[in-house]
Amino acid sequence: IYGGHHQTHAASAFFPSPFEEAAILTFDGVGEWDTASFGVGRGNKVQLLQTLRFPHSLGLLYSAFTYYCGFTVNSGEYKLMGLAPYGAPRYVDTIRTHLVDVRDDGSIWMDMAYFNYCQGLTMTSRKFDELFGGPSRQPETPITERHMDLAASIQVVIEEVMLKAARHLHAQTGLERLCLAGGVALNCVANGKLLREGPFRDIWVQPAAGDSGGALGAAYHVWHQ
């Protein structure tokens, strides 16, 4: 039995949670053609209500900055998150103006002229380099204030998108509890902000929120549904 990527993320979030009923948010790089999903879990059922489609991806947006700041994509994102508090979010307006249009429902539209992951072997394009004042940082070279500020800035944008998505989902479902999965749900700083400032009374995050939790979600999905 084949489980869709975000279906398994959603199942891995809801079924192990302590909730009988909850809203579900998944954000990651990409699985099949989906990069995010909004859903609802009730009893033994998980239903996805909306999805965001590739190439517009919150996870790949964050990974682009991971790459640009000299860390390894799909493993170094935690370093970017850890770098963020050392910087100032000076580039937030630049990101919003040029790279990504953030909609009120938490969906995003990215200007792909600044990215290279669809057609090339790098995450960012030359236009991205020009926008932020130079080429990507080479691994193991000194981290500058600019890199700290870039980390702080993309962290602010990630938190903004997740908050908007949560508020939209809360308004759509009226539910008081939220389950999270997908690689972006490993951003514990954003999760903390979501718990403090978001509309949900309680949040449960799948510990293996990334693709390592996919087999668990697939097994739960088949067992319950």
Side-chain angles (χ1 to χ4, degrees), residues 9 13 25-29 58-59 81 158 162 179-192 194 203-210:
H9 272 323
L25 273 177
T26 71
F27 284 107
D28 68 0
L58 193 62
M81 182 183 71
I158 291 290
M162 291 182 71
C179 296
L180 292 171
V184 178
L186 293 170
N187 193 307
C188 55
V189 177
N191 294 345
L194 198 57
I203 294 175
W204 194 86
V205 184
Q206 167 53 246

Side-chain angles (χ1 to χ4, degrees), residues 1 16 20 75 77 102 117 138 140 160 165 172 187 208 213 225:
I1 298 172
E20 281 297 312
S75 68
E77 281 78 6
V102 180
Y117 57 77
Q138 292 301 304
E140 308 305 325
E160 176 191 3
Q172 292 288 102
N187 193 307
Q225 293 195 199

Side-chain angles (χ1 to χ4, degrees), residues 4 9 15 25 42 61 63 69 75 82 105 120 132 141 153 168-169 207:
H9 272 323
F15 290 127
L25 273 177
R42 289 189 175 94
L61 175 64
S63 291
C69 289
S75 68
D105 63 357
F132 292 109
T141 59
S153 301
H168 170 74
L169 188 56

Side-chain angles (χ1 to χ4, degrees), residues 132-197:
F132 292 109
S136 59
R137 171 182 165 264
Q138 292 301 304
E140 308 305 325
T141 59
I143 294 172
T144 68
E145 185 177 344
R146 181 169 69 100
H147 300 115
M148 298 176 193
D149 293 347
L150 285 164
S153 301
I154 192 59
Q155 181 67 31
V156 166
V157 174
I158 291 290
E159 292 168 4
E160 176 191 3
V161 173
M162 291 182 71
L163 271 171
K164 285 191 172 186
R167 287 168 180 153
H168 170 74
L169 188 56
H170 182 263
Q172 292 288 102
T173 64
L175 298 172
E176 294 300 312
R177 294 176 172 86
L178 175 68
C179 296
L180 292 171
V184 178
L186 293 170
N187 193 307
C188 55
V189 177
N191 294 345
K193 185 160 188 174
L194 198 57
L195 184 60
R196 291 190 306 274
E197 300 180 21

Side-chain angles (χ1 to χ4, degrees), residues 37-161:
S37 71
F38 300 172
V40 171
R42 289 189 175 94
N44 71 324
K45 298 290 183 186
V46 164
Q47 180 186 9
L48 298 187
L49 306 174
Q50 291 175 274
T51 60
L52 185 65
R53 304 287 276 181
F54 183 84
H56 310 292
S57 166
L58 193 62
L60 291 175
L61 175 64
Y62 201 76
S63 291
F65 279 84
T66 301
Y67 166 85
Y68 188 72
C69 289
F71 305 122
T72 304
V73 172
N74 290 334
S75 68
E77 281 78 6
Y78 77 96
K79 295 181 180 179
L80 192 70
M81 182 183 71
L83 190 63
Y86 294 94
R90 305 180 197 278
Y91 298 102
V92 170
D93 287 342
T94 304
I95 294 169
R96 289 188 189 131
T97 301
H98 296 278
L99 299 188
V100 59
D101 178 19
V102 180
R103 311 287 170 82
D104 287 340
D105 63 357
S107 62
I108 61 173
W109 186 92
M110 295 163 60
D111 185 343
M112 298 311 298
Y114 292 93
F115 302 94
N116 196 41
Y117 57 77
C118 285
Q119 70 276 22
L121 299 177
T122 60
M123 292 298 296
T124 57
S125 70
R126 185 174 297 175
K127 193 170 181 180
F128 191 105
D129 296 350
E130 292 169 356
L131 183 65
F132 292 109
S136 59
R137 171 182 165 264
Q138 292 301 304
E140 308 305 325
T141 59
I143 294 172
T144 68
E145 185 177 344
R146 181 169 69 100
H147 300 115
M148 298 176 193
D149 293 347
L150 285 164
S153 301
I154 192 59
Q155 181 67 31
V156 166
V157 174
I158 291 290
E159 292 168 4
E160 176 191 3
V161 173

